[in-house]
Amino acid sequence: MQFPRTFNSMKEMQETNRTTVLRVLFAHDSPMTRGEIVRKTGLSAPTITRIVKELLKEKIVIEVGKVELMQGRNRELLQIDYDHIDVLGFEVNESFVHGVVCDLKGAVKMSFSEPVQDKRPQAIAESIKVILDQIRQNEAKTANIIGIGLSISGIVAPTEQKVIHSGTMGWENIHVNDLFPPLGDMMIIVENDANAALLGEVWVANIQDDEDVVYIVISEGAIGASLLVDGQLVRGSTMVAGEISHFPVEPNGKSCMCGNSGCFETYVSLERLEKEFAELSTGNMKLIEAYKAGDELAQQFVIQAAHKMATVIRSIIYLVNPGRIIIGGLWIEAGEEFLNLVLQQVKKHFSLGERHIPQFAYSKLHPHAGVLGAVGLVIDEFLKYQ
Ligand SMILES: [Zn+2]
């Protein structure tokens, strides 16, 4: 399929000086003159003149006005042409395939969703193709597409462009080429959903690179945590760091489908809790709804979930000592009261003192953190200093 225009090759984007110029322009809040770019990058004036000429010709950079200098001479103000460069983001989970077109600042220009009826890779590839076709039909609204980011729950090897294992989707060793139609040398970056969501939060909330952050995402069935330590995602030696679904939280507790008992997910997976709640409840409200309405049984379920979440969070604090913990996923619907319940419980049993308790909040980007994080990864790659 043909997109409106793509760069001939990502190699084209990887020239050191060019990426330096792009990064400086991207990081600067306002348009810059060539002279300012020279000072900021430390590159020579002729080099900047040449690169800016190239970037203007390729419509990556545009002139947005002039500034008058002392001698009465004008200098053009330059900035990245944010409206002319787009990124596609996809999120795949057990319920839907979500696709967005974002500009280079991450603002969503278009959004599409396809429900998932069949989780097999061929069926998901079909939904992705439907969304790509819809994007293509809106060609007038899309610009240069520089790449695609894909967020998915499971164990992901980004460098191999592979989903190694996804319990939620029932996938083993699925390559991005199994999911996307041939797109030439379009950059496609795949990332685990919790990692992508964490990067999305860091990017949008402007969290400092050196802050240690843990992101916990609880979707219908799966639970994942993502760890950002010293500005780097912690993946683990075999890529399973943060797979906390089966973290033991109760000796001889509820039996888990993994064969063990007392696993974290048996106490917080809403898919499971909804079933258990429906069996015992006399009403017909769903768990979170009933909890908010003050239903006693629902309160018991939710308090137990909060306690188990606090147990896992305390362990994470002892191990990682993060400055910030972000909770994403379906429990957000339970509101601030639930978050406070978890936090109180963490504080009550944490033995090293309150000053070690991290900042604690729900995801600001819910439910789009994953897809925006995937978009952010592509933008980061585009601007990467090579
Ligand atoms: Zn288990």
Side-chain angles (χ1 to χ4, degrees), residues 94-96 216-222 268-271 274 288 309 327-335 338 362 366-367:
E94 67 268 52
S95 320
F96 59 81
I216 299 171
V217 59
I218 304 175
S219 58
E220 215 140 293
V268 294
S269 149
L270 275 171
E271 195 179 20
E274 287 293 3
I288 303 285
M309 222 179 273
I327 309 284
L330 300 172
W331 277 97
I332 290 179
E333 285 160 35
F338 176 72
Y362 281 135
H366 176 76

PDB file of all heavy atoms in Angstrom, residues 94-96 216-222 268-271 274 288 309 327-335 338 362 366-367:
ATOM      1  N   GLU A  94      -7.048  -7.837  23.988  1.00  0.00           N
ATOM      2  CA  GLU A  94      -8.054  -8.872  23.776  1.00  0.00           C
ATOM      3  C   GLU A  94      -9.405  -8.309  23.328  1.00  0.00           C
ATOM      4  O   GLU A  94     -10.224  -9.034  22.792  1.00  0.00           O
ATOM      5  CB  GLU A  94      -8.227  -9.742  25.030  1.00  0.00           C
ATOM      6  CG  GLU A  94      -8.823  -9.036  26.244  1.00  0.00           C
ATOM      7  CD  GLU A  94      -7.770  -8.445  27.183  1.00  0.00           C
ATOM      8  OE1 GLU A  94      -6.885  -7.691  26.697  1.00  0.00           O
ATOM      9  OE2 GLU A  94      -7.836  -8.710  28.388  1.00  0.00           O
ATOM     10  N   SER A  95      -9.624  -7.001  23.539  1.00  0.00           N
ATOM     11  CA  SER A  95     -10.934  -6.436  23.202  1.00  0.00           C
ATOM     12  C   SER A  95     -10.963  -5.651  21.894  1.00  0.00           C
ATOM     13  O   SER A  95     -11.969  -5.622  21.207  1.00  0.00           O
ATOM     14  CB  SER A  95     -11.420  -5.493  24.316  1.00  0.00           C
ATOM     15  OG  SER A  95     -11.132  -6.004  25.564  1.00  0.00           O
ATOM     16  N   PHE A  96      -9.867  -4.937  21.583  1.00  0.00           N
ATOM     17  CA  PHE A  96      -9.897  -4.116  20.375  1.00  0.00           C
ATOM     18  C   PHE A  96      -8.517  -3.870  19.772  1.00  0.00           C
ATOM     19  O   PHE A  96      -7.497  -4.045  20.436  1.00  0.00           O
ATOM     20  CB  PHE A  96     -10.573  -2.756  20.661  1.00  0.00           C
ATOM     21  CG  PHE A  96      -9.890  -1.952  21.735  1.00  0.00           C
ATOM     22  CD1 PHE A  96      -8.756  -1.200  21.452  1.00  0.00           C
ATOM     23  CD2 PHE A  96     -10.365  -1.969  23.039  1.00  0.00           C
ATOM     24  CE1 PHE A  96      -8.112  -0.475  22.435  1.00  0.00           C
ATOM     25  CE2 PHE A  96      -9.705  -1.242  24.042  1.00  0.00           C
ATOM     26  CZ  PHE A  96      -8.591  -0.495  23.729  1.00  0.00           C
ATOM     27  N   ILE A 216       2.192   0.374  36.770  1.00  0.00           N
ATOM     28  CA  ILE A 216       1.494  -0.916  36.919  1.00  0.00           C
ATOM     29  C   ILE A 216       0.202  -0.841  36.116  1.00  0.00           C
ATOM     30  O   ILE A 216      -0.596   0.079  36.322  1.00  0.00           O
ATOM     31  CB  ILE A 216       1.174  -1.206  38.402  1.00  0.00           C
ATOM     32  CG1 ILE A 216       2.475  -1.275  39.213  1.00  0.00           C
ATOM     33  CG2 ILE A 216       0.396  -2.523  38.547  1.00  0.00           C
ATOM     34  CD1 ILE A 216       2.270  -1.329  40.711  1.00  0.00           C
ATOM     35  N   VAL A 217       0.035  -1.745  35.181  1.00  0.00           N
ATOM     36  CA  VAL A 217      -1.185  -1.721  34.376  1.00  0.00           C
ATOM     37  C   VAL A 217      -1.973  -3.015  34.598  1.00  0.00           C
ATOM     38  O   VAL A 217      -1.433  -4.111  34.500  1.00  0.00           O
ATOM     39  CB  VAL A 217      -0.890  -1.434  32.878  1.00  0.00           C
ATOM     40  CG1 VAL A 217       0.025  -2.475  32.280  1.00  0.00           C
ATOM     41  CG2 VAL A 217      -2.176  -1.349  32.061  1.00  0.00           C
ATOM     42  N   ILE A 218      -3.233  -2.850  34.972  1.00  0.00           N
ATOM     43  CA  ILE A 218      -4.096  -4.005  35.208  1.00  0.00           C
ATOM     44  C   ILE A 218      -5.214  -3.960  34.186  1.00  0.00           C
ATOM     45  O   ILE A 218      -6.124  -3.137  34.278  1.00  0.00           O
ATOM     46  CB  ILE A 218      -4.664  -3.984  36.640  1.00  0.00           C
ATOM     47  CG1 ILE A 218      -3.499  -3.920  37.642  1.00  0.00           C
ATOM     48  CG2 ILE A 218      -5.531  -5.218  36.891  1.00  0.00           C
ATOM     49  CD1 ILE A 218      -3.909  -3.784  39.087  1.00  0.00           C
ATOM     50  N   SER A 219      -5.108  -4.807  33.165  1.00  0.00           N
ATOM     51  CA  SER A 219      -6.180  -4.857  32.173  1.00  0.00           C
ATOM     52  C   SER A 219      -7.108  -6.006  32.568  1.00  0.00           C
ATOM     53  O   SER A 219      -6.983  -6.556  33.653  1.00  0.00           O
ATOM     54  CB  SER A 219      -5.629  -4.999  30.759  1.00  0.00           C
ATOM     55  OG  SER A 219      -4.853  -6.147  30.672  1.00  0.00           O
ATOM     56  N   GLU A 220      -8.011  -6.378  31.703  1.00  0.00           N
ATOM     57  CA  GLU A 220      -9.026  -7.349  32.093  1.00  0.00           C
ATOM     58  C   GLU A 220      -8.425  -8.639  32.688  1.00  0.00           C
ATOM     59  O   GLU A 220      -8.730  -9.020  33.797  1.00  0.00           O
ATOM     60  CB  GLU A 220      -9.903  -7.700  30.900  1.00  0.00           C
ATOM     61  CG  GLU A 220     -11.320  -7.932  31.324  1.00  0.00           C
ATOM     62  CD  GLU A 220     -12.281  -7.350  30.323  1.00  0.00           C
ATOM     63  OE1 GLU A 220     -12.343  -6.122  30.166  1.00  0.00           O
ATOM     64  OE2 GLU A 220     -12.952  -8.161  29.691  1.00  0.00           O
ATOM     65  N   GLY A 221      -7.534  -9.246  31.937  1.00  0.00           N
ATOM     66  CA  GLY A 221      -6.946 -10.480  32.441  1.00  0.00           C
ATOM     67  C   GLY A 221      -5.518 -10.312  32.908  1.00  0.00           C
ATOM     68  O   GLY A 221      -5.103 -10.857  33.920  1.00  0.00           O
ATOM     69  N   ALA A 222      -4.754  -9.520  32.176  1.00  0.00           N
ATOM     70  CA  ALA A 222      -3.306  -9.472  32.412  1.00  0.00           C
ATOM     71  C   ALA A 222      -2.881  -8.303  33.290  1.00  0.00           C
ATOM     72  O   ALA A 222      -3.525  -7.262  33.318  1.00  0.00           O
ATOM     73  CB  ALA A 222      -2.596  -9.380  31.080  1.00  0.00           C
ATOM     74  N   VAL A 268      -6.815  -9.395  41.847  1.00  0.00           N
ATOM     75  CA  VAL A 268      -7.042  -8.080  41.232  1.00  0.00           C
ATOM     76  C   VAL A 268      -7.534  -8.111  39.788  1.00  0.00           C
ATOM     77  O   VAL A 268      -7.924  -7.082  39.243  1.00  0.00           O
ATOM     78  CB  VAL A 268      -5.774  -7.170  41.301  1.00  0.00           C
ATOM     79  CG1 VAL A 268      -5.442  -6.821  42.743  1.00  0.00           C
ATOM     80  CG2 VAL A 268      -4.598  -7.798  40.590  1.00  0.00           C
ATOM     81  N   SER A 269      -7.492  -9.295  39.145  1.00  0.00           N
ATOM     82  CA  SER A 269      -7.984  -9.369  37.766  1.00  0.00           C
ATOM     83  C   SER A 269      -9.497  -9.138  37.778  1.00  0.00           C
ATOM     84  O   SER A 269     -10.250  -9.902  38.390  1.00  0.00           O
ATOM     85  CB  SER A 269      -7.663 -10.744  37.171  1.00  0.00           C
ATOM     86  OG  SER A 269      -8.660 -11.100  36.244  1.00  0.00           O
ATOM     87  N   LEU A 270      -9.926  -8.084  37.114  1.00  0.00           N
ATOM     88  CA  LEU A 270     -11.357  -7.758  37.163  1.00  0.00           C
ATOM     89  C   LEU A 270     -12.204  -8.808  36.457  1.00  0.00           C
ATOM     90  O   LEU A 270     -13.347  -9.048  36.823  1.00  0.00           O
ATOM     91  CB  LEU A 270     -11.603  -6.369  36.570  1.00  0.00           C
ATOM     92  CG  LEU A 270     -11.409  -5.244  37.595  1.00  0.00           C
ATOM     93  CD1 LEU A 270     -11.446  -3.888  36.918  1.00  0.00           C
ATOM     94  CD2 LEU A 270     -12.467  -5.291  38.688  1.00  0.00           C
ATOM     95  N   GLU A 271     -11.605  -9.452  35.470  1.00  0.00           N
ATOM     96  CA  GLU A 271     -12.322 -10.509  34.757  1.00  0.00           C
ATOM     97  C   GLU A 271     -12.738 -11.589  35.767  1.00  0.00           C
ATOM     98  O   GLU A 271     -13.884 -12.029  35.805  1.00  0.00           O
ATOM     99  CB  GLU A 271     -11.409 -11.102  33.688  1.00  0.00           C
ATOM    100  CG  GLU A 271     -12.116 -11.932  32.659  1.00  0.00           C
ATOM    101  CD  GLU A 271     -11.135 -12.466  31.613  1.00  0.00           C
ATOM    102  OE1 GLU A 271      -9.912 -12.509  31.878  1.00  0.00           O
ATOM    103  OE2 GLU A 271     -11.611 -12.833  30.524  1.00  0.00           O
ATOM    104  N   GLU A 274     -15.120 -10.123  38.697  1.00  0.00           N
ATOM    105  CA  GLU A 274     -16.508  -9.923  38.232  1.00  0.00           C
ATOM    106  C   GLU A 274     -17.292 -11.230  38.310  1.00  0.00           C
ATOM    107  O   GLU A 274     -18.435 -11.248  38.734  1.00  0.00           O
ATOM    108  CB  GLU A 274     -16.538  -9.417  36.781  1.00  0.00           C
ATOM    109  CG  GLU A 274     -16.110  -7.981  36.563  1.00  0.00           C
ATOM    110  CD  GLU A 274     -17.037  -6.921  37.158  1.00  0.00           C
ATOM    111  OE1 GLU A 274     -18.044  -7.275  37.823  1.00  0.00           O
ATOM    112  OE2 GLU A 274     -16.728  -5.733  36.994  1.00  0.00           O
ATOM    113  N   ILE A 288     -17.310  -2.724  40.209  1.00  0.00           N
ATOM    114  CA  ILE A 288     -16.866  -1.350  40.510  1.00  0.00           C
ATOM    115  C   ILE A 288     -18.077  -0.422  40.711  1.00  0.00           C
ATOM    116  O   ILE A 288     -18.090   0.410  41.615  1.00  0.00           O
ATOM    117  CB  ILE A 288     -15.966  -0.795  39.381  1.00  0.00           C
ATOM    118  CG1 ILE A 288     -14.752  -1.695  39.150  1.00  0.00           C
ATOM    119  CG2 ILE A 288     -15.544   0.641  39.646  1.00  0.00           C
ATOM    120  CD1 ILE A 288     -13.661  -1.620  40.163  1.00  0.00           C
ATOM    121  N   MET A 309      -2.836  -5.286  46.308  1.00  0.00           N
ATOM    122  CA  MET A 309      -2.071  -4.350  45.482  1.00  0.00           C
ATOM    123  C   MET A 309      -1.002  -3.663  46.336  1.00  0.00           C
ATOM    124  O   MET A 309       0.133  -3.492  45.921  1.00  0.00           O
ATOM    125  CB  MET A 309      -3.022  -3.323  44.867  1.00  0.00           C
ATOM    126  CG  MET A 309      -2.685  -3.035  43.419  1.00  0.00           C
ATOM    127  SD  MET A 309      -3.789  -1.861  42.685  1.00  0.00           S
ATOM    128  CE  MET A 309      -5.089  -2.871  42.108  1.00  0.00           C
ATOM    129  N   ILE A 327      -0.504   4.050  38.335  1.00  0.00           N
ATOM    130  CA  ILE A 327      -1.426   2.921  38.147  1.00  0.00           C
ATOM    131  C   ILE A 327      -2.265   3.183  36.897  1.00  0.00           C
ATOM    132  O   ILE A 327      -2.937   4.215  36.796  1.00  0.00           O
ATOM    133  CB  ILE A 327      -2.392   2.773  39.353  1.00  0.00           C
ATOM    134  CG1 ILE A 327      -1.644   2.743  40.684  1.00  0.00           C
ATOM    135  CG2 ILE A 327      -3.307   1.549  39.181  1.00  0.00           C
ATOM    136  CD1 ILE A 327      -0.951   1.463  41.012  1.00  0.00           C
ATOM    137  N   GLY A 328      -2.204   2.243  35.952  1.00  0.00           N
ATOM    138  CA  GLY A 328      -3.023   2.370  34.742  1.00  0.00           C
ATOM    139  C   GLY A 328      -3.971   1.196  34.644  1.00  0.00           C
ATOM    140  O   GLY A 328      -3.857   0.226  35.395  1.00  0.00           O
ATOM    141  N   GLY A 329      -4.902   1.271  33.727  1.00  0.00           N
ATOM    142  CA  GLY A 329      -5.790   0.142  33.487  1.00  0.00           C
ATOM    143  C   GLY A 329      -7.144   0.316  34.134  1.00  0.00           C
ATOM    144  O   GLY A 329      -7.550   1.411  34.518  1.00  0.00           O
ATOM    145  N   LEU A 330      -7.842  -0.803  34.270  1.00  0.00           N
ATOM    146  CA  LEU A 330      -9.273  -0.754  34.586  1.00  0.00           C
ATOM    147  C   LEU A 330      -9.629  -0.284  35.999  1.00  0.00           C
ATOM    148  O   LEU A 330     -10.719   0.216  36.218  1.00  0.00           O
ATOM    149  CB  LEU A 330      -9.892  -2.133  34.336  1.00  0.00           C
ATOM    150  CG  LEU A 330      -9.768  -2.622  32.885  1.00  0.00           C
ATOM    151  CD1 LEU A 330     -10.227  -4.060  32.779  1.00  0.00           C
ATOM    152  CD2 LEU A 330     -10.597  -1.724  31.968  1.00  0.00           C
ATOM    153  N   TRP A 331      -8.708  -0.430  36.953  1.00  0.00           N
ATOM    154  CA  TRP A 331      -9.039  -0.028  38.327  1.00  0.00           C
ATOM    155  C   TRP A 331      -9.196   1.487  38.460  1.00  0.00           C
ATOM    156  O   TRP A 331      -9.711   1.977  39.464  1.00  0.00           O
ATOM    157  CB  TRP A 331      -7.986  -0.556  39.303  1.00  0.00           C
ATOM    158  CG  TRP A 331      -8.266  -1.983  39.685  1.00  0.00           C
ATOM    159  CD1 TRP A 331      -7.695  -3.091  39.135  1.00  0.00           C
ATOM    160  CD2 TRP A 331      -9.208  -2.462  40.657  1.00  0.00           C
ATOM    161  NE1 TRP A 331      -8.216  -4.231  39.698  1.00  0.00           N
ATOM    162  CE2 TRP A 331      -9.147  -3.868  40.648  1.00  0.00           C
ATOM    163  CE3 TRP A 331     -10.094  -1.838  41.532  1.00  0.00           C
ATOM    164  CZ2 TRP A 331      -9.937  -4.665  41.473  1.00  0.00           C
ATOM    165  CZ3 TRP A 331     -10.881  -2.618  42.360  1.00  0.00           C
ATOM    166  CH2 TRP A 331     -10.807  -4.024  42.329  1.00  0.00           C
ATOM    167  N   ILE A 332      -8.757   2.225  37.473  1.00  0.00           N
ATOM    168  CA  ILE A 332      -8.923   3.690  37.507  1.00  0.00           C
ATOM    169  C   ILE A 332     -10.400   4.049  37.702  1.00  0.00           C
ATOM    170  O   ILE A 332     -10.726   5.029  38.374  1.00  0.00           O
ATOM    171  CB  ILE A 332      -8.368   4.326  36.200  1.00  0.00           C
ATOM    172  CG1 ILE A 332      -6.843   4.203  36.202  1.00  0.00           C
ATOM    173  CG2 ILE A 332      -8.786   5.781  36.059  1.00  0.00           C
ATOM    174  CD1 ILE A 332      -6.165   4.755  34.976  1.00  0.00           C
ATOM    175  N   GLU A 333     -11.257   3.186  37.157  1.00  0.00           N
ATOM    176  CA  GLU A 333     -12.697   3.452  37.290  1.00  0.00           C
ATOM    177  C   GLU A 333     -13.162   3.447  38.752  1.00  0.00           C
ATOM    178  O   GLU A 333     -14.206   4.003  39.079  1.00  0.00           O
ATOM    179  CB  GLU A 333     -13.502   2.425  36.475  1.00  0.00           C
ATOM    180  CG  GLU A 333     -13.440   2.714  34.990  1.00  0.00           C
ATOM    181  CD  GLU A 333     -13.800   1.503  34.155  1.00  0.00           C
ATOM    182  OE1 GLU A 333     -14.679   0.730  34.592  1.00  0.00           O
ATOM    183  OE2 GLU A 333     -13.190   1.320  33.086  1.00  0.00           O
ATOM    184  N   ALA A 334     -12.397   2.809  39.626  1.00  0.00           N
ATOM    185  CA  ALA A 334     -12.777   2.775  41.044  1.00  0.00           C
ATOM    186  C   ALA A 334     -12.503   4.109  41.743  1.00  0.00           C
ATOM    187  O   ALA A 334     -12.880   4.285  42.908  1.00  0.00           O
ATOM    188  CB  ALA A 334     -12.055   1.637  41.751  1.00  0.00           C
ATOM    189  N   GLY A 335     -11.838   5.014  41.067  1.00  0.00           N
ATOM    190  CA  GLY A 335     -11.698   6.381  41.572  1.00  0.00           C
ATOM    191  C   GLY A 335     -10.620   6.593  42.617  1.00  0.00           C
ATOM    192  O   GLY A 335      -9.919   5.660  43.023  1.00  0.00           O
ATOM    193  N   PHE A 338     -10.266   4.474  45.900  1.00  0.00           N
ATOM    194  CA  PHE A 338      -9.547   3.199  45.807  1.00  0.00           C
ATOM    195  C   PHE A 338      -8.036   3.437  45.889  1.00  0.00           C
ATOM    196  O   PHE A 338      -7.314   2.726  46.593  1.00  0.00           O
ATOM    197  CB  PHE A 338      -9.913   2.477  44.501  1.00  0.00           C
ATOM    198  CG  PHE A 338      -9.144   1.214  44.283  1.00  0.00           C
ATOM    199  CD1 PHE A 338      -9.404   0.083  45.055  1.00  0.00           C
ATOM    200  CD2 PHE A 338      -8.132   1.152  43.332  1.00  0.00           C
ATOM    201  CE1 PHE A 338      -8.676  -1.089  44.878  1.00  0.00           C
ATOM    202  CE2 PHE A 338      -7.412  -0.014  43.138  1.00  0.00           C
ATOM    203  CZ  PHE A 338      -7.682  -1.133  43.916  1.00  0.00           C
ATOM    204  N   TYR A 362      -2.871   7.864  39.413  1.00  0.00           N
ATOM    205  CA  TYR A 362      -3.389   7.129  38.259  1.00  0.00           C
ATOM    206  C   TYR A 362      -2.746   7.672  36.982  1.00  0.00           C
ATOM    207  O   TYR A 362      -2.282   8.818  36.952  1.00  0.00           O
ATOM    208  CB  TYR A 362      -4.904   7.337  38.144  1.00  0.00           C
ATOM    209  CG  TYR A 362      -5.743   6.515  39.088  1.00  0.00           C
ATOM    210  CD1 TYR A 362      -6.796   7.107  39.787  1.00  0.00           C
ATOM    211  CD2 TYR A 362      -5.530   5.146  39.250  1.00  0.00           C
ATOM    212  CE1 TYR A 362      -7.600   6.361  40.637  1.00  0.00           C
ATOM    213  CE2 TYR A 362      -6.332   4.403  40.107  1.00  0.00           C
ATOM    214  CZ  TYR A 362      -7.366   5.012  40.797  1.00  0.00           C
ATOM    215  OH  TYR A 362      -8.158   4.275  41.623  1.00  0.00           O
ATOM    216  N   HIS A 366      -4.788   7.455  30.498  1.00  0.00           N
ATOM    217  CA  HIS A 366      -5.743   6.351  30.372  1.00  0.00           C
ATOM    218  C   HIS A 366      -6.940   6.782  29.518  1.00  0.00           C
ATOM    219  O   HIS A 366      -7.475   7.852  29.749  1.00  0.00           O
ATOM    220  CB  HIS A 366      -6.224   5.940  31.775  1.00  0.00           C
ATOM    221  CG  HIS A 366      -7.278   4.882  31.758  1.00  0.00           C
ATOM    222  ND1 HIS A 366      -6.991   3.569  31.519  1.00  0.00           N
ATOM    223  CD2 HIS A 366      -8.628   4.962  31.915  1.00  0.00           C
ATOM    224  CE1 HIS A 366      -8.108   2.872  31.553  1.00  0.00           C
ATOM    225  NE2 HIS A 366      -9.123   3.689  31.780  1.00  0.00           N
ATOM    226  N   PRO A 367      -7.407   6.013  28.557  1.00  0.00           N
ATOM    227  CA  PRO A 367      -6.951   4.676  28.181  1.00  0.00           C
ATOM    228  C   PRO A 367      -5.976   4.685  26.991  1.00  0.00           C
ATOM    229  O   PRO A 367      -5.771   3.667  26.375  1.00  0.00           O
ATOM    230  CB  PRO A 367      -8.265   3.998  27.782  1.00  0.00           C
ATOM    231  CG  PRO A 367      -9.059   5.108  27.168  1.00  0.00           C
ATOM    232  CD  PRO A 367      -8.639   6.386  27.830  1.00  0.00           C
TER     233      PRO A 367
END
